[in-house]
């Protein structure tokens, strides 16, 4: 994920760092929201959008799995 934004402007890189910190901190909901913000920033390339979309899908699965595990049975 990070390599796709290696040459991105500082504001995009700051959001990329925040996404990674959220993932490492086991906060996929926050990471997902930050990815949404990142995808709407001006200057994001098609290749970067693809990386954002792929990571978003992975986070959606993790969020769903966590919700299902926490649901009463």
């Amino acid at each position: 994920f990070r390599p796709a934004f290696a040459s991105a402007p500082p504001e995009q890189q700051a959001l990329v760092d925040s996404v990674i910190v959220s993932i490492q901190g086991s906060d996929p909901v926050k990471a997902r929201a930050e990815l949404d913000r990142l995808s709407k920033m001006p200057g994001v390339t098609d290749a970067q959008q693809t990386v954002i979309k792929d990571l978003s899908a992975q986070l959606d699965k993790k969020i769903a799995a966590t919700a299902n595990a926490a649901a009463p049975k």
Side-chain angles (χ1 to χ4, degrees):
F1 172 66
R2 191 186 301 260
F5 290 88
S7 62
E11 60 273 6
Q12 287 181 7
Q13 289 188 10
L15 204 46
V16 166
D17 290 342
S18 185
V19 168
I20 291 170
V21 168
S22 295
I23 291 170
Q24 290 172 340
S26 298
D27 192 350
V29 174
K30 182 178 179 191
R32 184 65 174 83
E34 291 167 334
L35 281 173
D36 284 344
R37 283 182 43 216
L38 182 61
S39 73
K40 294 178 177 116
M41 291 183 96
V44 176
T45 67
D46 288 343
Q48 290 168 333
Q49 288 287 4
T50 300
V51 171
I52 291 169
K53 184 178 174 185
D54 291 346
L55 184 55
S56 294
Q58 291 176 33
L59 287 170
D60 287 344
K61 288 178 188 172
K62 184 172 181 71
I63 292 165
T66 302
N68 288 340
K73 298 187 180 181

